[in-house]
Amino acid sequence: MNEQPVEEDVVDIMSENSVELPEKGTAVSDQDFETVVRGALDAVGGTLLFKVRVDHAEEPHHAAAAFVGEGENRQFLVMILPIVGGHLRVETTAKSKSPIAGIAAAYVGLAEAFGHAA
C-alpha cells in the first residue's frame, strides 16, 4: 500500500503526465483552471465535484473540490490556483483551511441522495 499522502500523489502524477500550469503572472481563465484540474484528476482517476472563483480573498484564486477513491478509501481534495498563475496547491480536505473543504463531503452526500431519489 502506498503511504505517500494523496495530495503528493496528485502533484507527482501531474508532473509525470505533463499537466501544464500557467506561468506566474499569466492570468488564469476559468477554462484554463478547469483544464489543469481535469488533467490532474484524470491522471489519478479522480472526480471533479465543483469549482469556483474566489475574488474576495487576500489572494484571488480558483478553487475546486474533488475526490479520489471509492467507499471507505475515498479522499476529498481541494485544489487551488492563484488567478495570476503559479503553483497549483493540492490538499486533502482534512488538512485544508479552505472553506471549500467543508463543503466537499456535504456536496457528495447531497449528490448521492439526489441520485438515489431519481
Side-chain angles (χ1 to χ4, degrees):
M1 182 171 172
N2 187 357
E3 297 296 324
Q4 189 177 25
V6 170
E7 63 268 30
E8 290 179 25
D9 286 343
V10 172
V11 172
D12 289 348
I13 291 171
M14 283 184 345
S15 296
E16 292 168 11
N17 289 282
S18 301
V19 174
E20 293 189 32
L21 297 173
E23 292 182 28
K24 188 166 179 110
T26 303
V28 179
S29 71
D30 185 55
Q31 184 62 44
D32 291 341
F33 177 64
E34 184 169 346
T35 299
V36 167
V37 167
R38 286 195 185 276
L41 292 171
D42 286 349
V44 295
T47 301
L48 176 64
L49 297 171
F50 62 88
K51 61 185 178 54
V52 296
R53 181 177 166 141
V54 182
D55 288 317
H56 296 69
E58 198 170 297
E59 179 180 42
H61 58 276
H62 295 280
F67 70 88
V68 293
E70 294 182 22
E72 291 180 17
N73 294 325
R74 184 183 296 174
Q75 291 197 31
F76 296 99
L77 304 172
V78 173
M79 304 171 84
I80 297 171
L81 182 64
I83 290 174
V84 295
H87 179 71
L88 177 69
R89 193 169 78 226
V90 180
E91 309 167 326
T92 58
T93 56
K95 293 180 181 179
S96 180
K97 294 185 185 331
S98 172
I100 292 167
I103 298 170
Y107 182 90
V108 167
L110 183 62
E112 287 175 346
F114 281 132
H116 292 301

